């Protein structure tokens, strides 16, 4: 069976997410699965993780909330709402002032200042490898080569890339997502992560895991996914239509 690059990335992510699934108390199986089944399992893991990680805000998306009310305001709803670009921007603008200080409680690299760095997307966009959340891409000055996107084959030690985001429930509620960071370390730091230190920070500032540090196994899924982009030093890039001009 042959898989395209996107499929290989998803398969790699699934292998790494086994640890997260076990930590979340979800059943996991090692046998080969169809892509549809695999994607459903990934969604389930992210949804469960969200119960632990995402912090509810007071922000709402009016159109989605209105549609929920028009359907009878069911108490239980599943899935994440798809937004227009304008809705995604408004939702992020609503939560960011209260989200940044929460992440700033962490002392991990980038947690306090990531939002002051170069931003490589023009608007929040949906990321399939991040549970279809709406996300942003940030990078520090050391990692400015990231702005070259696919032309960039490596970045220097000290580069820190960050991804924050949110999702909107089918009730219209805007929920904060964890902050994901990756810091390029010296050769020999961790061959299994292409010498990147991955970290996942909950919206309350607490750490889920750090490569070679606290709960390292819980963020191994980050490396397993990013290693599929070895030709670009483990870096993925965002959809063309949301990219800023190359720096």
């Amino acid at each position: 069976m042959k898989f395209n690059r996107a499929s290989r990335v998803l398969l790699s992510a699934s292998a790494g997410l086994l640890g997260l699934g076990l930590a979340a108390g979800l059943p996991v199986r090692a046998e080969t699965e169809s892509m549809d089944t695999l994607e459903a399992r990934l969604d389930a893991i992210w949804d469960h993780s969200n119960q632990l990680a995402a912090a509810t805000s007071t922000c709402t998306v009016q159109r989605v909330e209105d549609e929920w009310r028009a359907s009878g305001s069911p108490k239980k709803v599943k899935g994440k709402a798809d937004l227009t670009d304008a809705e995604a921007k408004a939702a992020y603008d609503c939560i960011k002032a209260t989200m940044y200080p929460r992440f700033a409680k962490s002392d991990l690299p980038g947690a306090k200042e990531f939002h002051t760095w170069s931003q490589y997307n023009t608007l929040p966009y949906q990321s399939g490898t991040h549970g279809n959340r709406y996300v942003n891409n940030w990078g520090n000055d050391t990692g400015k080569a990231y702005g070259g996107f696919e032309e960039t084959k490596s970045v220097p030690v000290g580069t820190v890339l960050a991804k924050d985001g949110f999702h909107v429930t089918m009730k219209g509620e805007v929920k904060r997502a964890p902050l994901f960071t990756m810091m390029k370390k010296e050769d020999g730091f961790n061959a299994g992560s292409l010498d990147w230190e991955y970290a996942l920070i909950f919206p309350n500032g607490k750490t889920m895991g750090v490569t070679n540090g606290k709960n390292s196994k819980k963020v191994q899924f980050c490396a397993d996914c990013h290693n599929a982009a070895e030709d670009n030093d483990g870096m993925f890039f965002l959809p063309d239509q949301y990219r800023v001009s190359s720096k």
Side-chain angles (χ1 to χ4, degrees):
M1 182 181 295
K2 294 183 178 180
F3 296 97
N4 59 26
R5 175 171 178 151
S7 299
R8 290 197 303 270
V9 169
L10 188 57
L11 286 168
S12 180
S14 175
L17 280 167
L18 286 174
L20 182 57
L22 288 169
L26 295 174
V28 292
R29 296 177 300 179
E31 68 264 26
T32 302
E33 300 170 279
S34 71
M35 291 306 297
D36 287 344
T37 302
L38 182 55
E39 289 173 0
R41 290 185 61 239
L42 289 175
D43 285 345
I45 292 171
W46 276 113
D47 287 344
H48 191 94
S49 179
N50 177 69
Q51 295 174 23
L52 306 175
T56 301
S57 72
T58 58
C59 301
T60 60
V61 174
Q62 192 63 52
R63 174 188 61 81
V64 180
E65 182 179 0
D66 289 346
E67 291 175 355
W68 169 67
R69 294 188 184 282
S71 68
S73 305
K75 291 184 178 181
K76 293 185 178 181
V77 293
K78 294 182 178 181
K80 302 179 180 70
D82 292 327
L83 309 177
T84 66
D85 285 347
E87 288 171 336
K89 181 180 185 303
Y92 184 75
D93 286 345
C94 184
I95 63 169
K96 64 183 183 182
T98 55
M99 183 167 63
Y100 297 160
R102 291 167 181 257
F103 290 133
K105 295 177 182 179
S106 171
D107 291 325
L108 290 173
K112 301 182 188 301
E113 71 277 12
F114 72 91
H115 55 91
T116 67
W117 295 346
S118 295
Q119 185 174 2
Y120 293 100
N121 59 299
T122 56
L123 292 166
Y125 66 95
Q126 278 186 299
S127 172
T129 55
H130 284 254
N132 285 327
R133 291 175 173 85
Y134 286 83
V135 299
N136 299 291
N137 292 63
W138 310 85
N140 66 356
D141 288 343
T142 304
K144 62 183 179 181
Y146 180 84
F149 303 117
E150 282 82 2
E151 295 181 4
T152 299
K153 302 304 179 184
S154 64
V155 289
V157 171
T159 290
V160 184
L161 304 176
K163 186 170 287 184
D164 68 339
F166 64 92
H167 83 271
V168 175
T169 72
M170 299 305 290
K171 294 181 180 181
E173 304 161 317
V174 181
K175 292 194 173 184
R176 305 175 186 92
L179 176 67
F180 295 83
T181 65
M182 50 192 292
M183 181 176 184
K184 191 66 176 179
K185 306 289 281 188
E186 298 81 4
D187 288 348
F189 169 75
N190 188 316
S193 70
L194 301 180
D195 294 322
W196 286 98
E197 177 187 87
Y198 293 96
L200 190 157
I201 305 165
F202 292 148
N204 60 5
K206 293 184 179 181
T207 302
M208 174 177 161
V210 183
T211 304
N212 284 13
K214 177 182 178 181
N215 296 328
S216 182
K217 291 183 179 179
K218 290 187 178 181
V219 292
Q220 182 59 38
F221 71 94
C222 297
D224 291 340
C225 182
H226 280 264
N227 287 353
E230 186 173 2
D231 290 347
N232 291 99
D233 201 13
M235 295 180 291
F236 288 118
F237 306 103
L238 50 151
D240 290 347
Q241 65 269 33
Y242 293 107
R243 297 182 181 188
V244 298
S245 300
S246 296
K247 297 183 182 294

